[in-house]
Amino acid sequence: MQQLDWSNLPFGYMKTKYNIRCTYKDGKWGELEASDSEYIPLHISSTALHYGQQAFEGMKAYKGKDNKVRLFRWEENAKRFQNSAEGILMEKVPKELFLQAIVKAVKMNAEFVPPHGTGASLYIRPLLFGSSAEMGVKAAKEYTFIVFVMPVGPYFKEGFNPTKIAIVRDSDRAAPLGTGTLKVGGNYAASLRGTVKVQKAGYSSPMYLDCVERKYIDEIGAANFFGIKNNTYITPKSPSILGSITNKSIITLAEDLGIKTERRPILVEELSTFEEVGACGTAAVISPIGEVNDLEKGKVYKFCRDGKAGPISKKLYETLVGIQYGDIEDKHGWVTIID
Ligand code: PLP
Ligand code: COI
């Protein structure tokens, strides 16, 4: 294996040794199989290709000082994967099969788990899609489940330094009764126009608003949003955002630290009242936001005027990451060690 510069890894695709595959056929899941190919034979009329029958997950494995590899709240990802499958009528992956595939993928690529202290982790991408042929709009009869992994660094190039985001008002990523709460590819396809538009203008990610009134903050690209004021952590309640496992964990940690928490609709204008704002997610971890530009309204909200993350974001970040890497006691039983 080539020498990797662990501390300077980007968040991007990298080939590792093996991926794990399993197919659902004739009413049952088959055996897990390891493959060293990055390609799949896929029917030209599969429902994944035509009707977007596809869902994925994003999780990470972390190496501790003790060299043990840890998963963070894998059961939450397993549950959300099932929920996404159910939402677009795909066969669900049983929890035990999900865990077995992940453990196998991590173990068979053990040399790619970044060393402790480098800030990097092994990103795990479980993927599920309809793989049998249909032509009318129908759910597939066969499904393919794949898990592949790769070592990654920070999602935003700024790492834990403030990033800049911009509000998108001319496209929506998801609708309230649509698929916004599911982790399905269609939502990401819908977010591409907004993402590219703001990136061309020099921002790292788009901020999406509720698509009914465009008054409330929904989420940020591939991460949830939070704002902090008066010792209170506030995050949007919305029927069109993905339930972030990171956000849910931060809420618990905030409460442990004596910080109040609220999940409620957040008006865009409320941005001017926050002391700290950020994005959170598996890839984003906790990323402080230094600027939110409401491009179309010509209004700019600034934070982190000293160029650094605020004190509460910092404390939450250190606590979360400390638990994930095994440096801080896991009081909530969130961590699973892979033997
Ligand atoms: N929102 C979107 C749209 C995402 O893609 C992600 C990433 O998974 C998140 C939020 C954060 O969720 P989690 O913390 O479970 O990774
Ligand atoms: C994650 O945080 O795991 C994500 O899924 C982000 C990804 C869409 C790049």
Side-chain angles (χ1 to χ4, degrees), residues 1-198:
M1 171 183 152
Q2 91 254 37
Q3 250 337 88
L4 290 172
D5 183 5
W6 299 111
S7 304
N8 292 301
L9 288 175
F11 185 93
Y13 180 77
M14 185 192 294
K15 182 182 188 322
T16 51
K17 274 205 166 147
Y18 299 103
N19 54 78
I20 308 301
R21 305 168 177 210
C22 188
T23 50
Y24 179 88
K25 211 174 164 174
D26 302 328
K28 56 178 191 303
W29 285 101
E31 296 293 314
L32 292 177
E33 283 170 27
S35 168
D36 61 2
S37 168
E38 294 167 281
Y39 296 90
I40 42 173
L42 186 57
H43 197 287
I44 55 172
S45 201
S46 65
T47 62
L49 290 181
H50 296 260
Y51 306 126
Q53 247 201 332
Q54 177 272 10
F56 69 99
E57 268 305 321
M59 49 202 289
K60 283 173 171 173
Y62 309 83
K63 192 174 276 179
K65 268 197 200 108
D66 53 8
N67 270 332
K68 289 186 176 150
V69 178
R70 293 161 164 78
L71 295 175
F72 184 72
R73 305 194 80 173
W74 69 268
E75 265 187 289
E76 293 291 327
N77 292 92
K79 254 197 285 180
R80 191 170 65 188
F81 202 40
Q82 291 193 336
N83 193 45
S84 297
E86 223 164 56
I88 56 168
L89 302 188
M90 297 197 291
E91 186 61 33
K92 289 188 281 188
V93 175
K95 263 195 199 171
E96 311 71 50
L97 185 68
F98 182 83
L99 180 63
Q100 277 169 19
I102 278 160
V103 168
K104 202 171 162 92
V106 173
K107 281 190 170 174
M108 292 189 79
N109 294 288
E111 70 217 69
F112 290 96
V113 185
H116 183 265
T118 56
S121 53
L122 188 77
Y123 188 68
I124 306 169
R125 179 52 71 85
L127 172 69
L128 174 69
F129 55 87
S131 39
S132 58
E134 295 292 347
M135 193 32 73
V137 179
K138 284 192 193 114
K141 294 178 194 72
E142 292 170 16
Y143 291 87
T144 302
F145 167 45
I146 301 179
V147 178
F148 59 99
V149 300
M150 73 216 71
V152 295
Y155 191 60
F156 295 117
K157 68 174 183 347
E158 294 86 356
F160 192 59
N161 294 315
T163 189
K164 295 203 296 187
I165 62 167
I167 296 177
V168 167
R169 289 178 181 276
D170 58 357
S171 65
D172 296 311
R173 69 171 279 286
L177 296 177
T179 55
T181 57
L182 314 177
K183 203 161 168 64
V184 298
N187 297 339
Y188 298 83
S191 76
L192 281 175
R193 270 195 304 147
T195 303
V196 169
K197 179 181 157 178
V198 305

Side-chain angles (χ1 to χ4, degrees), residues 56-59 77 80 123 125 155 173 180 182-183 187-188 219-225 241-248 280-285:
F56 69 99
E57 268 305 321
M59 49 202 289
N77 292 92
R80 191 170 65 188
Y123 188 68
R125 179 52 71 85
Y155 191 60
R173 69 171 279 286
L182 314 177
K183 203 161 168 64
N187 297 339
Y188 298 83
E219 61 182 332
I220 296 175
N224 274 185
F225 169 84
I241 64 177
L242 186 73
S244 156
I245 297 158
T246 313
N247 200 3
K248 181 169 158 179
C280 63
T282 299
V285 195

